[in-house]
Amino acid sequence: MSAHQKNTELIKTEAKRLGFLSCGISKAEFLEEEAPRLEKWLRNNMNGEMQYMENNFDKRLDPTKLVEGSKSVISLLLNYYPEEKQLDGTYKISKYAYGQDYHYVIKTKLKQLQEFISEEIGEVNGRAFVDSAPVLDKAWAAKSGLGWIGKHSNLLTQQVGSFYFIAELIIDLELEYDSRVTDHCGTCTACLDACPTKAIVAPYVVDGSKCISYFTIELKNELPAEFHGKFDDWMFGCDVCQDVCPWNRFSKPHQEPLFDPKPELLSMTKKDWEEITEEVFRKVFQKSAVKRTKFSGLTRNIDFLKK
Ligand code: SF4
Ligand code: SF4
C-alpha cells in the first residue's frame, strides 16, 4: 500500500469515527466544469442580493488560490435529518436549523480531524470551510464521488438522500482521489413540480433570487408582494424540493444531540408563532442558525405569511 493510500484510509476512517456520514477526496485544482455554469448563473442575476457570490470568482473556482500550496480537497457530509418534526400545519423552519448552529458543531469536528492528521501523518497545513462562500461545496462533494447534484441543485445520494451539511478541509497533502458517481434523477421532475415559487427554472438550475430560502433568510428588504401566498408557510428556509425527492425516503435520523431542537420548537402552533416575543425567540433559538435573521427578520416573515 502506498503512503497516499495509507493516509487516505486513515483520514476516511477517522472521519467516520467523528460522526461524518461520508468523506470523499479530490485533487485541489481549477473546477473546469463548474466555471461556465457559475458565470452564467451570476450573469443572469440568479444570486439576487447575495452579492458575496460574485466576489472572489477565481478563488471560488481554484482552491490553490484560496489555500496556498493546497493539494487535496477533503469533502465531508454530516447528517442533520431529524427524528421528530414540527407540528403539522404550523409555520415551518428548514430542518437544518432545528438544533445548534451547524457552523460551530462542524468546525469542532473539522478541527479534531485536522489534529488527527497532524498527529498521525505529520505537519499538514490547511483550512477548514463550512458552508462558506469561497468554496463551491456541492461541486467538490460531487467531484469526490459523495453524490450527484440533483435537479434541485442539492447534493444527492442513493443511500441517504440529501439532508446533510457539506464541509471541506483543504490541505497541502497529496492523497488518493475519488471519482464521480452517476446521476440518478432520471425522468423524475418532482422537485421542479413542487417548488412553491417555481424557483427551479430548469432541471439543475435554481434561480436563487426566487427561492424561499433566499427570501426568508438572505433578503434584507421587504418581501416582494408578488410572492404573497406562495411561501407554503415557510418562515425560515424551505425544504419542499428535498421533502418531495424520492431519494429522501432513505434519510435516516442523525445521531448528533447538538442538532436536537428545543421542545418548544416542535410544539409551537401558528398562533404561538404569531405571538412570539423576543424572550421566547431567544430561548427557542439559543445558539441556533435562525438567529441570523434576528427576531425582526423572523417576525417580518411570519407577518408576511399571516397576511
Ligand atoms: S428550497 Fe423551496 S423555494 Fe427553493 S428551490 Fe427548493 S422548493 Fe423551491
Ligand atoms: S426530486 Fe427527482 S428530479 Fe428532483 S432531485 Fe430528487 S430525484 Fe432528482
Side-chain angles (χ1 to χ4, degrees):
M1 194 191 276
S2 73
H4 291 172
Q5 279 170 328
K6 189 172 150 263
N7 292 339
T8 303
E9 231 179 83
L10 278 172
I11 292 171
K12 288 190 172 175
T13 309
E14 179 65 5
K16 275 257 155 73
R17 198 192 64 79
L18 288 169
F20 289 106
L21 263 181
S22 47
C23 168
I25 308 176
S26 286
K27 185 174 172 23
E29 60 188 357
F30 181 68
L31 273 176
E32 213 147 324
E33 287 173 37
E34 207 55 34
R37 217 167 11 159
L38 179 63
E39 209 178 343
K40 192 170 163 209
W41 193 81
L42 290 170
R43 209 175 336 110
N44 289 327
N45 297 322
M46 292 191 177
N47 54 327
E49 277 182 12
M50 295 177 280
Q51 206 75 38
Y52 58 83
M53 291 196 159
E54 292 163 36
N55 304 338
N56 300 317
F57 188 79
D58 285 350
K59 281 190 185 170
R60 297 188 69 199
L61 290 161
D62 190 347
T64 62
K65 291 206 167 80
L66 191 66
V67 182
E68 223 192 289
S70 57
K71 300 272 191 323
S72 304
V73 180
I74 305 176
S75 293
L76 299 137
L77 305 185
L78 189 68
N79 187 9
Y80 65 77
Y81 188 72
E83 174 113 54
E84 290 179 284
K85 316 277 159 35
Q86 288 182 274
L87 285 181
D88 282 341
T90 192
Y91 297 129
K92 297 171 275 192
I93 77 164
S94 206
K95 290 185 258 305
Y96 79 80
Y98 272 21
Q100 287 193 20
D101 191 333
Y102 59 98
H103 292 93
Y104 303 109
V105 180
I106 302 175
K107 275 258 156 103
T108 309
K109 287 187 192 290
L110 290 179
K111 208 162 157 242
Q112 288 171 313
L113 186 58
Q114 261 179 312
E115 281 165 6
F116 170 86
I117 296 172
S118 294
E119 278 162 24
E120 296 297 320
I121 300 173
E123 208 39 60
V124 170
N125 288 316
R127 268 176 75 186
F129 297 90
V130 180
D131 191 19
S132 134
V135 184
L136 295 170
D137 46 16
K138 289 182 267 188
W140 285 108
K143 193 172 157 68
S144 306
L146 295 185
W148 74 97
I149 296 179
K151 291 181 191 173
H152 52 18
S153 94
N154 293 298
L155 189 82
L156 199 49
T157 60
Q158 284 177 294
Q159 295 76 28
V160 285
S162 64
F163 290 110
Y164 37 69
F165 299 111
I166 310 175
E168 301 81 25
L169 262 190
I170 304 184
I171 59 173
D172 65 351
L173 175 74
E174 272 186 48
L175 294 164
E176 287 283 298
Y177 302 125
D178 294 293
S179 40
R180 291 178 185 275
V181 297
T182 43
D183 182 321
H184 295 276
C185 278
T187 55
C188 174
T189 55
C191 53
L192 286 97
D193 302 337
C195 174
T197 50
K198 298 285 165 240
I200 312 179
V201 290
Y204 309 101
V205 185
V206 174
D207 184 343
S209 73
K210 286 189 186 154
C211 174
I212 296 169
S213 271
Y214 161 74
F215 287 133
T216 54
I217 303 172
E218 306 275 350
L219 188 72
K220 299 290 169 261
N221 298 326
E222 238 177 86
L223 295 166
E226 71 261 37
F227 285 96
H228 194 239
K230 294 191 174 154
F231 277 17
D232 186 33
D233 285 339
W234 290 94
M235 60 174 168
F236 183 92
C238 166
D239 287 341
V240 171
C241 51
Q242 299 193 76
D243 284 337
V244 300
C245 178
W247 293 109
N248 274 327
R249 282 195 309 254
F250 303 107
S251 302
K252 296 171 194 78
H254 67 74
Q255 303 295 322
E256 175 53 72
L258 296 174
F259 289 157
D260 287 338
K262 297 254 188 259
E264 293 89 337
L265 176 65
L266 301 181
S267 62
M268 283 175 75
T269 61
K270 267 191 178 169
K271 191 162 176 290
D272 296 330
W273 288 113
E274 285 167 8
E275 291 169 357
I276 191 171
T277 60
E278 196 152 358
E279 204 187 333
V280 174
F281 175 82
R282 266 194 251 118
K283 187 164 173 234
V284 176
F285 296 117
Q286 190 196 16
K287 296 190 182 167
S288 153
V290 175
K291 276 203 176 142
R292 225 172 118 189
T293 58
K294 303 202 176 72
F295 177 66
S296 57
L298 193 74
T299 47
R300 173 202 67 171
N301 296 344
I302 294 170
D303 285 345
F304 187 74
L305 295 175
K306 77 177 186 202
K307 260 189 236 163

